[in-house]
Amino acid sequence: MKAVYPGSFDPITNGHLDIIERASQIFDKLVVAVLDNVDKTTVFSVEDRLQMIQSTLNKDLNLKSKVEVVSFSGLAVELAKSIEADSFIRGMRDIGDFRFEWEAALLNKKLGNVDTLFLMTDPIYAFISSSRVREIARLGGDVSNWVPRSVQKFLSKLN
Ligand code: PNS
């Protein structure tokens, strides 16, 4: 079974990485899909976001063999269909995430008959997000607990 984990990953955090690790144990193949849509502005370019994820995964041979990283634009269901993925994976931190995720999951089911499976975020990452991490880094704070090492280098350019 193959799953797609779509997201902005602006940048990838340890919370995302935890979802990738856990999902890769459930599915035979996991495709991390980085959104490259012109109407969603990101701080990091799609090339940088892909590189941050790839260099993080390269450090783990097991993950490297099971996880592929791609970029996509357009509808996530079109990507899922084109690579014959069975479902989407998304992490859920709290009830605040639920509204968006519920709507997106129903939309994706209706649009392309692709189901979404949710993994509850590990509580140690429940209060972090890419935007918080960027804010802390920009203000000179220590983000080493929240992002992989390869991401720290990119974040240090923000301040
Ligand atoms: O990391 P994010 O920003 O919460 O991820 C949101 C994402 C990329 C999963 C969502 O915006 C998405 O799938 N966008 C692609 C366009 C699409 O398929 N829209 C309909 C479902 S939301």
Side-chain angles (χ1 to χ4, degrees):
M1 294 277 274
K2 189 195 266 187
V4 178
Y5 180 21
S8 303
F9 304 105
D10 189 33
I12 186 170
T13 66
N14 287 344
H16 294 126
L17 193 57
D18 177 56
I19 298 293
I20 292 172
E21 282 167 356
R22 287 157 61 202
S24 70
Q25 285 164 25
I26 300 170
F27 290 91
D28 305 307
K29 189 91 199 169
L30 181 71
V31 178
V32 177
V34 180
L35 182 68
D36 181 21
N37 266 8
V38 280
D39 56 350
K40 184 147 183 178
T41 48
T42 54
V43 170
F44 292 105
S45 68
V46 69
E47 291 80 14
D48 284 354
R49 288 179 283 141
L50 286 167
Q51 195 189 321
M52 284 185 263
I53 300 172
Q54 201 62 69
S55 45
T56 302
L57 297 180
N58 283 349
K59 296 197 173 70
D60 186 321
L61 285 183
N62 198 33
L63 277 187
K64 201 180 159 188
S65 66
K66 290 188 82 176
V67 184
E68 194 187 332
V69 189
V70 299
S71 65
F72 77 107
S73 53
L75 290 173
V77 288
E78 292 304 331
L79 170 75
K81 277 195 225 165
S82 70
I83 60 172
E84 295 179 348
D86 305 283
S87 48
F88 291 117
I89 277 282
R90 291 280 289 172
M92 182 98 72
R93 282 170 298 195
D94 58 16
I95 199 85
D97 281 343
F98 182 80
R99 175 79 213 188
F100 174 87
E101 297 298 340
W102 169 79
E103 204 173 276
L106 293 187
L107 207 53
N108 285 330
K109 181 70 178 167
K110 194 76 183 162
L111 278 173
N113 197 26
V114 184
D115 278 309
T116 303
L117 304 180
F118 294 100
L119 289 177
M120 289 305 145
T121 300
D122 186 316
I124 62 169
Y125 303 125
F127 53 89
I128 64 162
S129 62
S130 297
S131 55
R132 281 282 178 231
V133 158
R134 289 197 311 267
E135 181 188 18
I136 294 165
R138 197 179 293 116
L139 297 172
D142 178 11
V143 289
S144 58
N145 282 329
W146 317 124
V147 292
R149 193 176 283 272
S150 56
V151 175
Q152 288 175 44
K153 288 186 218 131
F154 280 84
L155 284 171
S156 64
K157 294 179 202 153
L158 291 180
N159 66 18

